[in-house]
Amino acid sequence: MNFMKPSSPYLNIVLSLVCIMYLLPLQTVGQADSILVSKLETYNIETGERKVIYRTEGHVEAPNWSPDGSYFLFNSGGNLYTIPTAGGTPKKLDTGFATNCNNDHGFSFDGEQLAISHAPEGEGSKIYVMPAEGGTPKLVTDNAPSYWHGWSPDGDTLVYPAQRDGEFDIYAIPVDGGHEIKLTDTPGLDDGAEYTPDGRWIYFNSVRTGVMKIFRMHPDGSNVEQITSNKQYADWFPHISPDGKQIVFLSYDAGVEGHPPFKDVTLRLMSAEGAPEVVVDLYGGQGTINVPSWAPDSKRFAFVSYEFITQE
């Protein structure tokens, strides 16, 4: 479920507690007398318009915007669903045996394939590839836990954070499986790896400086550069627009550890050469924008916000 990707025994305990909370009936999440409401929204970076596409009682996470622009993909309750970008009724996507999917999923650049992260019974999350229109997933990573986060533009390579020997680092692997390549080797959590559309960089977030910040590196793991530095924020999940000109990411207060759900957070936007600015304030965090969610026109992105409604 990718709630916090623990890097210590204490965080493993926290992870277990959060997972238990996730599996409880939705009306008991948060407060016993409240109902969780999820809202799939879009934000227009040119007009500042924030638009609710789909609102539902229940837990919805991590929207992808399809490369053809026609629909969103999101996860809920271990399954994946599609919904037209104009709104409507979600439709369950056929993922075969993979019915314990978490919120790390996304399309190849050409839109023909979908990478998903699914935890087989009794095992941790593993990465699979399947046709974008649905079908039988094919295993890519033998080792667990592994959480998909990015496709290379040529469709040949996947990048992902994975825990090996007690440390979360960024790895790359051929889309057909095989030997995984370790790209980072700094103590502390590395997460959220994503290629730029031109394939020159992989953006990711890392706690190596003490507080989670955005970094980038070359696809072979070299030339690491820090991108964000504001001490007010802990920054997660950088997503690069299809035209390569903008980056949106999630920011918590710097005192928040991990990427928990149900917090006051912001979405910040920055140009490739500019300073970040807050564009959306919301109640969310985990599940809000874990995966690539830009529209093909690079003018909008999708995210999920949450609220608890008191039962009458």
Side-chain angles (χ1 to χ4, degrees), residues 15-81:
L15 175 66
S16 299
L17 293 174
V18 175
C19 288
I20 291 171
M21 180 189 73
Y22 178 80
L23 294 172
L24 290 173
L26 287 171
Q27 66 267 27
T28 68
V29 177
Q31 298 179 6
D33 60 347
S34 62
I35 297 173
L36 175 65
V37 173
S38 301
K39 292 178 288 185
L40 195 165
E41 303 187 50
T42 61
Y43 180 81
N44 188 310
I45 67 171
E46 293 186 339
T47 66
E49 179 187 19
R50 183 173 168 178
K51 183 177 181 181
V52 176
I53 304 297
Y54 176 61
R55 183 182 186 276
T56 185
E57 293 182 1
H59 199 189
V60 166
E61 295 184 298
N64 302 120
W65 206 310
S66 66
D68 68 0
S70 66
Y71 66 94
F72 300 110
L73 176 78
F74 62 83
N75 65 284
S76 181
N79 296 303
L80 299 179
Y81 296 85

Side-chain angles (χ1 to χ4, degrees), residues 2-3 22 29 40 42 55-57 60 70 75 77 105 107 115 165 188 197 204 227 232-235 287 308 310:
N2 191 16
F3 275 98
Y22 178 80
V29 177
L40 195 165
T42 61
R55 183 182 186 276
T56 185
E57 293 182 1
V60 166
S70 66
N75 65 284
H105 46 75
F107 297 100
D165 300 320
F204 65 103
I227 301 301
Q232 178 182 349
Y233 298 107
D235 302 322
F308 286 101
T310 303

Side-chain angles (χ1 to χ4, degrees), residues 30-304:
Q31 298 179 6
D33 60 347
S34 62
I35 297 173
L36 175 65
V37 173
S38 301
K39 292 178 288 185
L40 195 165
E41 303 187 50
T42 61
Y43 180 81
N44 188 310
I45 67 171
E46 293 186 339
T47 66
E49 179 187 19
R50 183 173 168 178
K51 183 177 181 181
V52 176
I53 304 297
Y54 176 61
R55 183 182 186 276
T56 185
E57 293 182 1
H59 199 189
V60 166
E61 295 184 298
N64 302 120
W65 206 310
S66 66
D68 68 0
S70 66
Y71 66 94
F72 300 110
L73 176 78
F74 62 83
N75 65 284
S76 181
N79 296 303
L80 299 179
Y81 296 85
T82 63
I83 185 172
T85 52
T89 302
K91 180 180 178 181
K92 185 178 176 181
L93 183 70
D94 176 17
T95 56
F97 60 81
T99 57
N100 192 24
C101 298
N102 57 53
N103 52 36
D104 293 324
H105 46 75
F107 297 100
S108 57
F109 277 78
D110 62 11
E112 295 184 2
Q113 298 186 84
L114 178 67
I116 65 173
S117 303
H118 157 73
E121 185 175 357
E123 300 184 59
S125 176
K126 297 182 177 181
I127 299 171
Y128 301 76
V129 170
M130 56 180 284
E133 66 271 17
T136 302
K138 177 184 176 182
L139 179 65
V140 179
T141 58
D142 291 320
N143 297 323
S146 302
Y147 303 92
W148 176 87
H149 269 273
W151 284 88
S152 62
D154 61 12
D156 290 342
T157 306
L158 305 180
V159 287
Y160 53 99
Q163 187 180 38
R164 307 287 185 260
D165 300 320
E167 282 285 341
F168 267 98
D169 285 293
I170 305 300
Y171 291 80
I173 195 170
V175 71
D176 293 326
H179 175 68
E180 62 182 14
I181 302 170
K182 189 177 183 180
L183 299 180
T184 62
D185 194 22
T186 301
L189 177 63
D190 295 326
D191 201 347
E194 186 173 316
Y195 283 91
T196 55
D198 61 12
R200 293 183 57 217
W201 297 97
I202 293 173
Y203 278 72
F204 65 103
N205 50 278
S206 175
V207 75
R208 63 187 62 193
T209 62
V211 177
M212 191 64 73
K213 296 298 177 188
I214 306 301
F215 293 79
R216 70 179 184 178
M217 61 184 169
H218 286 165
D220 63 359
S222 64
N223 295 91
V224 177
E225 300 177 3
Q226 185 171 343
I227 301 301
T228 62
S229 58
N230 191 320
K231 295 181 180 180
Q232 178 182 349
Y233 298 107
D235 302 322
W236 290 79
F237 308 132
H239 304 305
I240 303 91
S241 59
D243 63 9
K245 295 180 179 180
Q246 302 285 337
I247 304 163
V248 65
F249 55 92
L250 175 72
S251 292
Y252 292 87
D253 181 90
V256 176
E257 293 188 8
H259 54 98
F262 315 136
K263 295 287 185 179
D264 291 323
V265 296
T266 66
L267 296 178
R268 296 205 290 158
L269 184 71
M270 64 183 297
S271 68
E273 300 177 355
E277 62 175 318
V278 174
V279 291
V280 179
D281 292 304
L282 71 148
Y283 187 65
Q286 168 68 353
T288 289
I289 194 167
N290 295 59
V291 290
S293 60
W294 280 96
D297 62 9
S298 297
K299 296 179 181 179
R300 297 160 292 166
F301 58 81
F303 60 97
V304 176

